[in-house]
Amino acid sequence: YHELGTSTAEDDLVFADRSQPMQVVVPMVTEGESHLLLKINGTEIGNQILIKSLGSRNAAFEYLVEGNVMDYDYVGKQGNYLLLLTNDQASNKELVRIRLGRSANNQREVVIPEAESVLQSVLLEEDYLIAVYYNEGSSMIRVFDERGNNPKEVKLPQPGSVSELRADAKNGKAYFSFSSFLSAPTIYELDLESGGLNTFMSSYTAFNTNDYQVRKVRFRSFDGEGIPMYLLHKRGLELTANTPALLLG
């Protein structure tokens, strides 16, 4: 720990594990600065999380997640509970909460259960949980209350990708960047109560997007699995077996 204005020789050593030189340690502080979390990634799949109370200078680190078996990512703190996004027993990921002083390995409660779409990220903001899902090459957003109930589906303009999600819960708003095959990155304002969208800031596009269209189709792979594919072409173009195509992916 380095205090501004002091010499580095006066720094306090917070954590070190010199027996594992390949580990990457990422520190995080909970809301209210009550606890320090260390997310530890090694050379194997999964990560560990250590937690330490900042209320006492001599407090020791304890394992919140132990074993380097599955992925756990810190989302936020609700009272005496921590919210974690994990693929442990949920290949498409789910949001769980763990009471402070307990371990994720044996004490956890599911807040947002696993769905058919992959749960990419969750933003905790006051009374809301804003979840971003990924399904067949496109993003989805759902807004839940703080306990993971009463989901509201946000209707996005078209299939595309959501990024840079931020929230201003005091005003009941969230903001995110959205881009697609036909639209440059655009920032949208999301009303957390109604789920409605408004354009907050858009990019200039030097061509008429109405002249083109995007369609999602499915084709069968060699093993019989159905695979989604997006077709981008000039509106009104007749697609045949002889139509030239540029395949990306």
Side-chain angles (χ1 to χ4, degrees):
Y1 176 82
H2 177 75
E3 185 175 344
L4 292 176
T6 64
S7 168
T8 55
E10 301 175 28
D11 291 356
D12 290 331
L13 179 63
V14 176
F15 174 82
D17 184 357
R18 295 184 173 87
S19 67
Q20 301 291 334
M22 300 302 292
Q23 285 184 340
V24 177
V25 180
V26 180
M28 295 165 282
V29 177
T30 62
E31 291 79 354
E33 300 183 353
S34 61
H35 291 79
L36 171 65
L37 301 178
L38 300 180
K39 179 181 177 182
I40 303 174
N41 297 287
T43 57
E44 301 174 356
I45 297 174
N47 64 276
Q48 303 184 88
I49 297 181
L50 291 172
I51 185 170
K52 171 183 178 178
S53 172
L54 295 177
S56 171
R57 190 176 184 86
N58 297 321
F61 280 105
E62 298 177 350
Y63 276 105
L64 180 65
V65 177
E66 185 176 8
N68 266 19
V69 177
M70 292 295 179
D71 296 325
Y72 280 86
D73 291 296
Y74 174 71
V75 172
K77 182 172 176 286
Q78 288 181 328
N80 292 322
Y81 290 87
L82 299 177
L83 295 179
L84 300 174
L85 182 64
T86 181
N87 61 356
D88 191 357
Q89 304 176 46
S91 58
N92 283 344
K93 294 194 176 183
E94 64 185 8
L95 184 71
V96 300
R97 71 176 197 159
I98 302 158
R99 189 175 182 87
L100 285 169
R102 297 182 181 176
S103 166
N105 299 73
N106 52 34
Q107 295 283 347
R108 69 183 205 175
E109 173 190 347
V110 175
V111 179
I112 299 179
E114 181 183 18
E116 291 185 2
S117 302
V118 177
L119 181 55
Q120 284 190 310
S121 64
V122 179
L123 177 64
L124 168 64
E125 194 67 32
E126 298 288 342
D127 299 330
Y128 298 97
L129 292 168
I130 310 166
V132 179
Y133 293 85
Y134 183 81
N135 181 49
E136 296 190 340
S138 185
S139 296
M140 302 163 48
I141 298 179
R142 292 189 182 119
V143 180
F144 300 82
D145 65 21
E146 73 276 10
R147 297 303 300 271
N149 300 320
N150 304 315
K152 292 189 290 285
E153 189 91 26
V154 177
K155 184 173 179 159
L156 296 174
Q158 55 191 286
S161 299
V162 169
S163 62
E164 302 299 328
L165 177 63
R166 301 290 185 271
D168 179 10
K170 291 182 179 178
N171 295 317
K173 308 292 183 184
Y175 300 86
F176 62 90
S177 176
F178 178 83
S179 60
S180 70
F181 293 107
L182 286 178
S183 64
T186 300
I187 298 176
Y188 284 93
E189 179 185 75
L190 167 63
D191 187 294
L192 295 174
E193 182 63 30
S194 67
L197 287 181
N198 289 309
T199 301
F200 183 77
M201 185 178 296
S202 59
S203 304
Y204 170 73
T205 304
F207 69 97
N208 186 0
T209 58
N210 292 326
D211 291 341
Y212 300 86
Q213 67 182 95
V214 176
R215 292 193 295 129
K216 184 170 79 170
V217 298
R218 301 187 72 85
F219 67 94
R220 197 162 297 281
S221 69
F222 73 94
D223 61 357
E225 186 71 24
I227 305 297
M229 179 172 65
Y230 289 92
L231 300 178
L232 168 62
H233 58 84
K234 188 174 182 179
R235 189 175 298 278
L237 177 67
E238 182 181 358
L239 302 182
T240 70
N242 296 319
T243 304
L246 178 64
L247 183 63
L248 300 175

